[in-house]
């Protein structure tokens, strides 16, 4: 959810000043790209992992303020609710042992998080949606004390003219139907993700962004881990409809914009059109003006941080303060285990490289409407979802993923990734796909056998602590 702000209430003058700064920076971004001012070197990988704090009864416990004070790690920060935290990985050049370094960083930070949580008689768990979560857990009393979150809630409700948020999620045939209303944006706290970052030379960013969108359907099927919400069995990746509806600013798309979405089209030749579209389509939620020079892109980055596309384009800065463009791939849930998440990352970084460098751009072979349909179908049905791929054939997501594993291997090898890393992570995925056992499949099988979401959560937590990949978890 990004940076802290300094105010929670705004007037027309605030909005006008912010709009002026946003317009100037949006024009500057386009000019910077045209003259080659964004970084042209390097391939860099990184991640963010959102997680839950739980009490001994497996309910969420709102203790992130005391937890973070003791953790005292700038890479571990608060999230929207006081029972969520976020772990940030140190960016790694995408070559050599980058993947194992990402795993070591994540495992080390996660181990320290568990130790720190225990001091509050709590623990931490990485899972897309928490099976034991109650809707009553999501209220303003459990919001992390932050002006940004207070203002976000006020502005979303203002855009909705005070109407409550509607949550309506129907599972595929044989599942449940959840329909409820909620008085604030705290529904968003029910979703936790494993977000990947990829920085590439700016002249390659369009191909990589479009390839990232094309890959989103298979990627979400590979990693799905969110089948339960408020006691209901819903989508394999229930985070998707939940987040899209949790900060919906209104039903009139032209006036308000759906702020969480897959988007409407692939990127064109100028990637900064992404920022132009954000400025044009989405009203400003947080009009906090900055005195920083336009080249800091302060207004653009703040506004961009309130539009949550599943593949998001970001502007960042290197140590020398040169701006760069990078992709934030947001489709994957947290969990199940550290090695599972890094294996998912390995697959993404390998395949997206190959798709982005293919002689025929994949976006030319797969219409955007098909790519978007693949994404939602995979979120609903996971590995069994029928997806239409680049050859025009419709097959199960699992079969497509099996065919993509050699491409992932070739893509990682082409980027100079260590052969032992390639084998370690892609071998995990090969067995996962052969057994059809991702996190969602394990949770659904466990619940079908035991019918107890508390036992499911307890067993999940025990297996996650073991470090075993999910395909090895017993039911």
């Amino acid at each position: 959810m990004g940076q802290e702000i300094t105010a929670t209430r705004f007037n027309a003058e605030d909005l006008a000043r912010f709009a002026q700064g946003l317009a100037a920076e949006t024009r500057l971004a386009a000019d910077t790209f045209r003259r080659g001012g964004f970084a042209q070197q390097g391939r860099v990988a990184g991640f963010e992992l959102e997680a839950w704090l739980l009490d001994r009864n497996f309910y969420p416990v709102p203790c992130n303020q005391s937890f973070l004070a003791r953790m005292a790690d700038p890479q571990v920060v608060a999230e929207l609710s006081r029972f969520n935290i976020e772990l940030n990985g140190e960016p790694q050049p995408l070559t050599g042992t980058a993947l194992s370094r990402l795993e070591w960083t994540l495992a080390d930070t996660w181990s320290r998080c568990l130790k720190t949580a225990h001091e509050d008689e709590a623990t931490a768990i990485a899972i897309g949606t928490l099976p034991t979560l109650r809707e009553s857990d999501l209220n303003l009393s459990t919001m992390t004390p932050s002006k940004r979150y207070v203002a976000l809630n006020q502005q979303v409700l203002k855009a909705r003219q005070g109407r409550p948020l509607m949550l309506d999620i129907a599972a595929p045939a044989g599942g449940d139907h959840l329909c409820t209303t909620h008085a604030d944006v705290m529904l968003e706290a029910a979703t936790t993700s494993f977000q990947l970052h990829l920085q590439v030379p700016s002249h390659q960013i369009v191909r990589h962004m479009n390839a990232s969108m094309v890959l989103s359907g298979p990627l979400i099927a590979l990693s799905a881990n969110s089948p339960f919400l408020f006691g209901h069995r819903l989508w394999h990746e229930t985070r998707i409809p939940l987040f899209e509806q949790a900060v919906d600013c209104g039903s009139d798309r032209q006036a308000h914009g759906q702020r969480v979405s897959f988007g409407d089209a692939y990127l064109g030749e100028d990637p900064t059109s992404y920022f132009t579209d954000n400025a044009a389509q989405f009203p400003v939620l947080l009009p906090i003006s900055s005195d920083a020079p336009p080249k800091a892109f302060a207004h653009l980055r703040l506004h961009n941080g309130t539009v949550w596309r599943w593949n998001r384009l970001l502007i960042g800065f290197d140590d020398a303060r040169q701006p760069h463009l990078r992709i934030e791939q947001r489709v994957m849930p947290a969990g199940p285990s550290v090695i599972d998440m890094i294996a998912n990352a390995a697959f993404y970084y390998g395949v997206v490289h190959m798709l982005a460098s293919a002689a025929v751009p994949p976006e030319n072979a797969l219409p955007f409407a098909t790519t978007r349909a693949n994404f939602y179908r995979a979120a609903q049905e996971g590995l069994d979802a029928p997806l239409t791929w680049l050859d025009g054939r419709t097959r199960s997501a699992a079969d497509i993923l099996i065919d993509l594993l050699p491409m992932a291997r070739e893509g990682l090898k082409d980027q100079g990734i260590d052969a032992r890393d390639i084998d370690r992570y892609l071998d995990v995925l090969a067995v996962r796909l052969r057994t059809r056992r991702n996190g969602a499949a394990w949770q659904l099988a466990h619940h079908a056998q035991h019918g107890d979401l508390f036992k499911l959560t307890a067993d999940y937590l025990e297996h996650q602590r073991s470090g075993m990949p999910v395909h090895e978890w017993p039911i």
Side-chain angles (χ1 to χ4, degrees):
M1 299 285 282
Q3 71 214 64
E4 179 59 301
I5 61 176
T6 57
T8 60
R9 297 190 179 277
F10 316 106
N11 56 35
E13 183 179 346
D14 295 325
L15 191 60
R17 186 180 176 200
F18 187 93
Q20 185 178 19
L22 176 61
E25 291 167 13
T26 303
R27 291 191 299 269
L28 178 60
D31 180 65
T32 302
F33 179 75
R34 281 193 297 270
R35 59 181 172 80
F38 289 111
Q40 298 292 341
Q41 70 281 347
R43 300 179 62 83
V44 182
F47 68 79
E48 302 170 42
L49 171 63
E50 300 161 346
W52 303 77
L53 297 170
L54 298 186
D55 65 20
R56 290 181 174 180
N57 296 312
F58 307 109
Y59 287 121
V61 56
C63 65
N64 72 1
Q65 298 299 285
S66 60
F67 169 91
L68 293 170
R70 287 196 309 276
M71 190 74 182
D73 184 341
Q75 296 291 76
V76 182
V77 298
E79 263 291 339
L80 173 61
S81 80
R82 292 195 291 140
F83 45 74
N84 290 142
I85 54 173
E86 179 184 282
L87 290 65
N88 292 273
E90 191 68 30
Q92 301 289 337
L94 196 50
T95 190
T97 58
L99 295 172
S100 54
R101 292 196 303 273
L102 289 174
E103 182 185 3
W104 182 89
T105 298
L106 178 54
D108 176 69
T109 306
W110 187 247
S111 177
R112 290 187 288 112
C113 285
L114 291 175
K115 182 179 179 181
T116 302
H118 290 168
E119 296 174 14
D120 261 332
E121 297 188 353
T123 192
I125 187 171
I127 190 169
T129 53
L130 182 66
T132 56
L133 180 70
R134 302 157 297 190
E135 189 173 354
S136 59
D137 292 318
L138 302 172
N139 59 74
L140 295 182
S141 72
T142 58
M143 177 183 280
T144 293
S146 160
K147 290 181 179 179
R148 180 185 177 92
Y149 300 141
V150 170
L152 178 69
N153 183 67
Q154 291 174 346
Q155 294 296 98
V156 168
L157 293 179
K158 179 180 178 181
R160 295 182 60 83
Q161 299 179 321
R163 290 176 290 113
L165 289 141
M166 299 289 299
L167 189 61
D168 189 348
I169 306 173
D176 298 342
H177 185 188
L178 173 62
C179 188
T180 187
T181 60
H182 204 80
D184 50 60
V185 299
M186 290 300 290
L187 283 171
E188 192 274 327
T191 72
T192 53
S193 308
F194 179 60
Q195 298 162 14
L196 296 179
H197 289 243
L198 174 61
Q199 177 192 337
V200 298
S202 64
H203 68 278
Q204 299 177 11
I205 197 72
V206 168
R207 286 290 307 271
H208 282 80
M209 183 68 163
N210 290 340
S212 190
M213 287 190 272
V214 166
L215 190 55
S216 292
L219 189 63
I220 205 167
L222 180 70
S223 60
N225 193 33
S226 312
F228 295 102
L229 178 65
F230 305 150
H232 294 267
R233 176 167 63 89
L234 300 168
W235 293 17
H236 281 234
E237 196 46 47
T238 303
R239 282 174 47 254
I240 302 305
L242 173 57
F243 193 15
E244 289 191 349
Q245 297 175 41
V247 288
D248 181 7
C249 286
S251 59
D252 185 343
R253 185 174 175 80
Q254 295 303 313
H256 301 287
Q258 183 182 350
R259 301 190 86 98
V260 185
S261 76
F262 193 74
D264 298 313
Y266 293 121
L267 272 188
E269 293 183 1
D270 180 0
T272 66
S273 64
Y274 178 96
F275 306 121
T276 304
D277 289 346
N278 278 355
Q281 292 185 35
F282 301 102
V284 172
L285 284 183
L286 303 176
I288 303 293
S289 296
S290 171
D291 293 328
K295 65 181 181 180
F297 298 108
H299 301 85
L300 185 155
R301 295 173 78 197
L302 179 57
H303 183 61
N304 198 53
T306 64
V307 181
W308 297 274
R309 300 182 203 244
W310 292 111
N311 291 269
R312 185 157 67 175
L313 190 63
L314 303 177
I315 294 177
F317 295 89
D318 62 21
D319 292 339
R321 299 304 296 166
Q322 182 181 15
H324 65 250
L325 297 173
R326 73 176 187 272
I327 297 163
E328 184 182 52
Q329 169 54 272
R330 302 172 54 82
V331 309
M332 292 190 294
S337 68
V338 169
I339 193 170
D340 283 315
M341 289 184 280
I342 302 302
N344 295 340
F347 177 85
Y348 170 71
Y349 289 131
V351 177
V352 81
H353 171 75
M354 294 301 293
L355 292 177
S357 57
V360 177
E363 59 267 35
N364 290 356
L366 201 66
F368 184 82
T370 304
T371 290
R372 182 167 53 193
N374 282 345
F375 173 75
Y376 289 106
R377 197 171 295 124
Q380 287 181 314
E381 302 180 44
L383 290 170
D384 292 330
L387 307 183
T388 301
W389 197 234
L390 301 175
D391 56 5
R393 297 167 56 204
T394 298
R395 293 174 289 151
S396 74
D399 288 341
I400 292 171
L401 286 160
I402 288 170
D403 288 348
L404 288 175
L405 281 180
M407 184 184 291
R409 184 174 294 275
E410 184 179 356
L412 293 173
K413 182 178 179 181
D414 192 55
Q415 295 173 87
I417 297 296
D418 183 84
R420 289 168 296 183
D421 274 14
I422 296 174
D423 289 343
R424 173 173 170 78
Y425 301 113
L426 296 190
D427 285 355
V428 166
L429 298 184
V431 183
R432 185 193 302 172
L433 293 171
R434 188 164 63 244
T435 58
R436 301 295 201 269
R437 177 66 64 79
N438 60 13
W442 182 88
Q443 290 189 55
L444 290 166
H446 188 287
H447 188 256
Q449 180 166 326
H450 301 286
D452 184 339
L453 293 177
F454 288 89
K455 178 173 173 55
L456 187 159
T457 306
D459 289 350
Y460 180 105
L461 186 59
E462 179 182 353
H463 299 328
Q464 184 173 86
R465 287 173 177 169
S466 76
M468 294 187 300
V470 70
H471 68 260
E472 296 181 7
W473 292 9
I475 300 296

